[in-house]
Amino acid sequence: MSTEDTSPAPDQSDLAGLEGILVGKESVRVLRYPHETEPDEEGNTTEWHLDLVIVDEMPGPGFSTYATVGARELPTNVTTPEGRQIRSEFVIVGRTGHRAMADVLDACALAVATGSIHVAPGAVIPNAVGLVDSGRTCEHLVLCPPFLWPELEVVDESGGEDGTGPLVTRLQAVPITTAEMSFLVKEGPDALFEKLDSADADVTNPDRPSVV
């Protein structure tokens, strides 16, 4: 579970790329999710945390945006062809008041931390919704380039202050049904997103009907 509104403000460098969705917004909150690594060979664990920024009325009235802050510190084991590390931050949208979406996005980051997924567009995170918000039609997540926020920075190639850090991408997590996950495995993510688009599926609603 998270600790709300009592955590320190995120470092300004961690907010890089979010400026476009924060400007002029009065309702912005931060949740801090404490975690602990699995014991190593000597039984030692390490505490770490994930911050989530919540922006209400974004991308429009009645909706809220949830964006990770600091997930870029989690290794993804993904590199560019030149060997540069690629790290990722994550974003999801939900109906305002459906705060379980924050827990869902934390589950997404936790899957990265445990090394259980290959972090790239089209990657599926099984049961990320079902584990924290049970009973929803859409129990899983699929990652894709963000498509709801024109002001959101998707790729940061700066490499931090000294220019030697990882390339950072931002990926959107979209809730999908079990049938849609099976379809994606067989036909690929592009085919699934074509069906979602053709059906004008409401990706902000985890109880929407399946498109396959």
Side-chain angles (χ1 to χ4, degrees):
M1 294 297 291
S2 66
T3 301
E4 185 169 352
D5 295 336
T6 60
S7 60
D11 186 278
Q12 289 301 307
S13 62
D14 288 339
L15 293 175
L18 295 178
E19 297 91 345
I21 67 172
L22 296 176
V23 173
K25 295 299 180 182
E26 296 181 359
S27 180
V28 178
R29 293 190 281 174
V30 178
L31 302 182
R32 172 157 291 182
Y33 286 81
H35 293 294
E36 190 172 18
T37 61
E38 293 293 327
D40 59 21
E41 295 179 355
E42 298 179 353
N44 299 318
T45 61
T46 301
E47 293 183 355
W48 63 281
H49 68 266
L50 179 79
D51 286 343
L52 282 180
V53 173
I54 302 176
V55 188
D56 290 333
E57 304 299 302
M58 175 61 68
F63 299 96
S64 294
T65 292
Y66 304 81
T68 61
V69 176
R72 68 193 69 186
E73 301 299 325
L74 303 173
T76 62
N77 299 316
V78 180
T79 62
T80 66
E82 298 75 28
R84 185 179 179 185
Q85 291 187 55
I86 300 176
R87 302 288 180 85
S88 294
E89 298 281 6
F90 305 97
V91 63
I92 197 168
V93 65
R95 305 293 178 88
T96 297
H98 184 206
R99 293 310 193 200
M101 276 301 189
D103 296 341
V104 168
L105 199 58
D106 177 64
C108 174
L110 192 57
V112 176
T114 58
S116 61
I117 64 168
H118 180 78
V119 184
V124 172
I125 308 176
N127 214 28
V129 179
L131 285 174
V132 299
D133 193 19
S134 61
R136 300 294 180 179
T137 303
C138 299
E139 297 180 300
H140 320 285
L141 294 176
V142 61
L143 301 178
C144 67
F147 55 84
L148 293 174
W149 306 268
E151 309 88 350
L152 191 67
E153 182 180 76
V154 177
V155 180
D156 178 5
E157 300 183 3
S158 66
E161 293 183 1
D162 59 5
T164 62
L167 180 152
V168 178
T169 66
R170 194 171 299 277
L171 295 172
Q172 181 176 349
V174 176
I176 59 174
T177 68
T178 297
E180 290 166 351
M181 181 174 68
S182 298
F183 178 85
L184 182 152
V185 171
K186 294 178 181 178
E187 305 294 337
D190 289 343
L192 174 60
F193 278 100
E194 286 179 7
K195 282 192 169 292
L196 289 169
D197 185 57
S198 297
D200 196 23
D202 181 2
V203 298
T204 71
N205 179 13
D207 287 324
R208 64 170 177 80
S210 183
V211 300
V212 294

